[in-house]
Amino acid sequence: RMEVELDKPKVCGTCGARDAPLKCPCKAVFYCNAECQRASWKEHRGECTHDLERKLRKLKRDRGGAGETDGAIRSALVDLGDLYQKQDRLSEAEEKYLEALEIAISNEGEGGEMVATVSWRLCDIYKQQGKLDDALGMVKRALRVYRRMHGDEHINVVHMLNSLGDVLYRKGQLDRALAKYKKAHALSCRLLGEDHLTVSAVLSNMAVVLGDQGKGAEAIALQEKVLGIQRRNMGSDSDTVATDALATSLLNLGCSYAELGMLEEGQARLAEGLGILRRNHPERN
């Protein structure tokens, strides 16, 4: 599974100048100087983990034992966990999510929706950390809660089946992973229609499993479906994230064709994918 990763240069978060020397205490953004930092503070403060940690400490100091206070602390913990995960600070994200989960279970019991929400986030953290047994436990808990609350025909069940397939795939259990992906695919088609991007994401995962099982032709057929869905969802105003995703699909498909000896088809997909990346990121050429 190919992923396109582009290093972020140290550009000023205010004026965009390169090699900005001043880093915010949250470690997520750089500035040329204090003036640039002050100019962007209003926009940045909602994502500044340093400032949010300070606010969380105040919430805990002011805690009076009321459920409302617990809810505010839990929300602050989840927000911080999301930001730390976005910054790849996984241990710090895990710590915040676990604390939020403890509060959610205390307030709602094991069957509360926030328990499922935080368990889902922890599953993602544990997958990235390689703690696959922990990830499996979290995704199964979230799936149980969502099914109890919403029944089997719900979008969150799709997401949990897809996540469960991903954990099983990482554990090397390819047949079980494929079975979960197939269930997620069928349900997502019923709920969202066959041209939804969620459907393409599940198909892409299925293609990876089939490729690993040596079923290259079947994998390519699914990759072509993914590409078709992405193209049909692509508008003239599509952002870089969407077109980068299209490029990644093209590169994956090109490699798959090449592995089967279909070099002409592979070259065409690779050339198109590289062309998109060059247009999106001319500074990387």
Side-chain angles (χ1 to χ4, degrees):
R1 193 182 322 210
M2 183 178 292
E3 295 181 1
V4 177
E5 293 188 3
L6 297 164
D7 292 334
K8 287 185 177 180
K10 294 179 179 179
V11 299
C12 176
T14 299
C15 70
R18 289 181 173 274
D19 299 319
L22 181 63
K23 184 187 286 189
C24 178
C26 73
K27 306 177 184 178
V29 63
F30 290 84
Y31 297 103
C32 293
N33 48 46
E35 183 179 351
C36 279
Q37 186 174 19
R38 283 193 296 271
S40 289
W41 177 240
K42 185 176 180 181
E43 291 76 22
H44 175 61
R45 71 181 304 170
E47 294 189 351
C48 181
T49 54
H50 181 75
D51 190 57
L52 292 174
E53 287 278 16
R54 180 185 60 78
K55 291 177 179 176
L56 176 61
R57 288 193 295 271
K58 184 177 185 304
L59 278 172
K60 289 180 175 180
R61 284 197 306 270
D62 296 343
R63 186 178 193 171
E68 290 181 6
T69 307
D70 278 352
I73 292 173
R74 184 189 65 197
S75 295
L77 288 164
V78 171
D79 288 345
L80 270 165
D82 291 346
L83 289 170
Y84 282 134
Q85 183 175 17
K86 184 179 178 182
Q87 296 171 17
D88 291 323
R89 296 163 66 178
L90 301 183
S91 295
E92 290 159 289
E94 178 190 6
E95 178 186 336
K96 300 305 176 187
Y97 288 145
L98 284 172
E99 191 175 348
L101 182 61
E102 184 179 349
I103 293 173
I105 292 172
S106 175
N107 289 349
E108 304 174 357
E110 286 282 350
E113 184 148 16
M114 185 54 68
V115 172
T117 300
V118 181
S119 296
W120 182 3
R121 283 167 161 83
L122 277 165
C123 171
D124 286 340
I125 292 292
Y126 290 140
K127 282 191 294 184
Q128 292 177 73
Q129 292 176 326
K131 300 175 182 177
L132 298 182
D133 289 336
D134 291 332
L136 188 61
M138 287 297 170
V139 72
K140 284 183 175 180
R141 168 193 266 163
L143 180 58
R144 285 195 303 271
V145 174
Y146 284 135
R147 277 178 164 160
R148 257 197 319 265
M149 294 191 70
H150 305 296
D152 287 334
E153 300 286 311
H154 192 271
I155 185 58
N156 284 343
V157 175
V158 172
H159 294 315
M160 292 308 97
L161 288 169
N162 192 45
S163 291
L164 182 53
D166 193 25
V167 175
L168 293 170
Y169 170 77
R170 292 172 188 239
K171 289 173 72 69
Q173 300 177 25
L174 301 188
D175 289 339
R176 291 184 65 198
L178 188 59
K180 299 302 179 185
Y181 287 144
K182 286 181 176 179
K183 287 183 178 180
H185 175 248
L187 181 55
S188 62
C189 286
R190 289 199 300 274
L191 294 175
L192 305 170
E194 295 188 1
D195 269 354
H196 197 278
L197 289 174
T198 297
V199 175
S200 74
V202 178
L203 286 171
S204 182
N205 289 336
M206 291 171 63
V208 171
V209 177
L210 290 169
D212 285 359
Q213 290 178 327
K215 301 173 183 177
E218 292 179 51
I220 282 177
L222 292 188
Q223 286 175 289
E224 288 285 6
K225 284 187 177 181
V226 170
L227 191 60
I229 293 170
Q230 289 176 320
R231 289 192 196 279
R232 288 190 290 277
N233 278 274
M234 199 69 63
S236 58
D237 58 345
S238 294
D239 60 18
T240 301
V241 173
T243 50
D244 278 355
L246 178 65
T248 301
S249 295
L250 285 161
L251 296 176
N252 285 332
L253 187 52
C255 291
S256 296
Y257 275 123
E259 288 172 3
L260 291 184
M262 304 171 70
L263 301 184
E264 186 175 342
E265 293 87 345
Q267 185 177 15
R269 300 300 189 279
L270 290 169
E272 185 180 356
L274 287 171
I276 292 171
L277 291 177
R278 285 177 177 139
R279 288 193 297 274
N280 284 352
H281 307 280
E283 74 281 0
R284 298 297 179 190
N285 287 339

